[in-house]
Amino acid sequence: MYVLNDVAYANSYNIDNIKVKEIKIIVELCMLVTFSNGEKKIFDAQELLKYPVYEKLSDYNIFKNAYVEHGTIIWDNGNIDISPETVYKISFTYEQEIAM
């Protein structure tokens, strides 16, 4: 099930055209991601650090300065990015925000 434009759909959402709408850094290497289908998920970038292109994300100053451009998460002034489909696939379901 997914919700898009305040309408609930029973079938699965085709993620081929999914985009990231918004991100919020939660803690080091984790962020809350809002997708174009209305879903919110927790993205943990820890697994990415094993790939050389993402090693710089271990520097919290780089990770926390992530931004969204054209539906994609970008870091390091455009030198690092990740496809929204990948973020969607490897993220965890998010139920509700906990007040801290």
Side-chain angles (χ1 to χ4, degrees):
M1 184 181 98
Y2 68 97
V3 177
L4 182 61
N5 298 324
D6 295 325
V7 176
Y9 296 88
N11 58 339
S12 298
Y13 185 77
N14 180 350
I15 67 165
D16 291 342
N17 295 315
I18 201 156
K19 302 291 182 208
V20 173
K21 288 180 65 180
E22 186 179 329
I23 58 173
K24 178 182 177 185
I25 305 300
I26 301 171
V27 294
E28 192 167 333
L29 293 176
C30 287
M31 64 176 67
L32 176 63
V33 181
T34 304
F35 293 94
S36 56
N37 66 354
E39 283 186 76
K40 291 185 178 187
K41 291 186 154 202
I42 302 294
F43 173 58
D44 182 353
Q46 180 67 42
E47 277 295 306
L48 298 179
L49 299 182
K50 65 184 175 186
Y51 302 106
V53 69
Y54 295 109
E55 287 176 348
K56 284 184 171 183
L57 297 183
S58 64
D59 179 343
Y60 184 64
N61 288 321
I62 291 175
F63 182 79
K64 73 177 183 178
N65 285 306
Y67 58 95
V68 177
E69 186 173 287
H70 305 292
T72 301
I73 301 173
I74 309 288
W75 293 273
D76 196 29
N77 296 315
N79 293 314
I80 304 171
D81 65 16
I82 186 166
S83 75
E85 297 87 0
T86 299
V87 174
Y88 187 87
K89 287 177 188 175
I90 66 174
S91 293
F92 303 95
T93 302
Y94 171 78
E95 296 299 328
Q96 67 183 25
E97 192 165 348
I98 299 170
M100 300 211 176

